[in-house]
């Protein structure tokens, strides 16, 4: 069997020239191309074995080139088969958007510490509004709304206790 020569014209000096001695890596690359050709069904087993033996005994790059010249130098492109759209079961679930009032409620609840409890009432109001919107629309952010509610109610309760004690002290100071 004759193999086509990949180089036309005179041999050029430098890397890849047909007369350059082959390295172990060159031989392994040629054997990899042969394996791919065998795996794709381009070579039968006896032909594959014969070419692999010749590749390992090749002395020059030119000899290796002749062994793989009639094979693609990589995997053959496969035609795209139309599979249609991806079934919804395999698509990632869209994440619901976070309710803005829930976020605002949580921020107000956290700021209760810095503002001395002044943002507690807005945290409670926004938290209740956010929870009703979340139940109605299915948005995300229920945990944020709950955080704002808890911190807001703690702040409001703290203020009520403080004002109650202040009132009791004022009443006891004026009566006594």
């Amino acid at each position: 069997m004759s193999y086509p020569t990949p180089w036309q014209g005179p041999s050029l000096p430098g890397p890849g020239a047909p007369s350059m001695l082959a390295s172990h890596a060159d031989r392994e690359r040629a054997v990899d191309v042969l394996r791919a050709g065998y795996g794709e069904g381009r070579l039968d087993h006896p032909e594959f074995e014969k070419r692999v033996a010749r590749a390992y005994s090749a002395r020059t790059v030119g000899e290796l080139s002749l062994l793989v010249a009639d094979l693609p130098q990589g995997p053959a492109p496969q035609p795209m088969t139309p599979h249609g759209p991806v079934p919804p079961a395999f698509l990632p679930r869209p994440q619901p958007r976070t309710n803005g009032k829930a976020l605002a409620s949580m921020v107000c609840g956290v700021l209760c510490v810095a503002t001395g409890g002044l943002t507690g009432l807005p945290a409670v109001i926004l938290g209740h509004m956010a929870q009703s919107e979340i139940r109605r629309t299915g948005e995300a952010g229920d945990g944020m709304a709950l955080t704002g509610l808890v911190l807001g109610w703690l702040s409001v309760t703290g203020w009520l206790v403080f004002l109650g004690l202040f009132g009791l002290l004022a009443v006891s100071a004026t009566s006594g």
Side-chain angles (χ1 to χ4, degrees):
M1 177 176 218
S2 66
Y3 298 103
T5 308
W7 284 276
Q8 305 297 327
S11 173
L12 301 174
S19 60
M20 186 170 72
L21 293 176
S23 67
H24 293 298
D26 294 329
R27 289 183 191 90
E28 289 301 323
R29 278 192 293 271
V31 170
D32 286 342
V33 172
L34 292 171
R35 283 188 188 119
Y38 176 68
E40 293 169 353
R42 297 177 191 276
L43 299 171
D44 58 3
H45 191 71
E47 178 73 15
F48 168 70
E49 291 292 332
K50 186 169 88 174
R51 288 192 191 194
V52 167
R54 286 181 58 194
Y56 282 125
S57 65
R59 295 217 1 102
T60 65
V61 173
E63 291 175 56
L64 292 173
S65 297
L66 291 175
L67 290 173
V68 297
D70 58 344
L71 297 173
Q73 301 297 310
Q78 300 296 319
M80 292 291 292
T81 56
H83 295 290
V86 176
F90 297 111
L91 292 175
R93 287 189 359 197
Q95 296 296 319
R97 122 184 152 72
T98 303
N99 186 287
K101 289 181 181 137
L103 178 63
S105 172
M106 184 182 71
V107 169
C108 287
V110 170
L111 287 177
C112 284
V113 176
T115 62
L118 295 177
T119 57
L121 192 57
V124 169
I125 294 169
L126 287 168
H128 283 294
M129 290 172 63
Q131 282 192 327
S132 82
E133 283 182 14
I134 288 169
R135 280 189 214 102
R136 189 179 70 242
T137 63
E139 292 176 309
D142 192 46
M144 287 187 234
L146 185 63
T147 301
L149 278 169
V150 168
L151 293 174
W153 276 118
L154 284 173
S155 172
V156 168
T157 305
W159 271 104
L160 289 175
V161 168
F162 173 75
L163 290 175
L165 289 175
F166 185 72
L168 282 175
L169 285 174
V171 168
S172 68
T174 55
S175 66

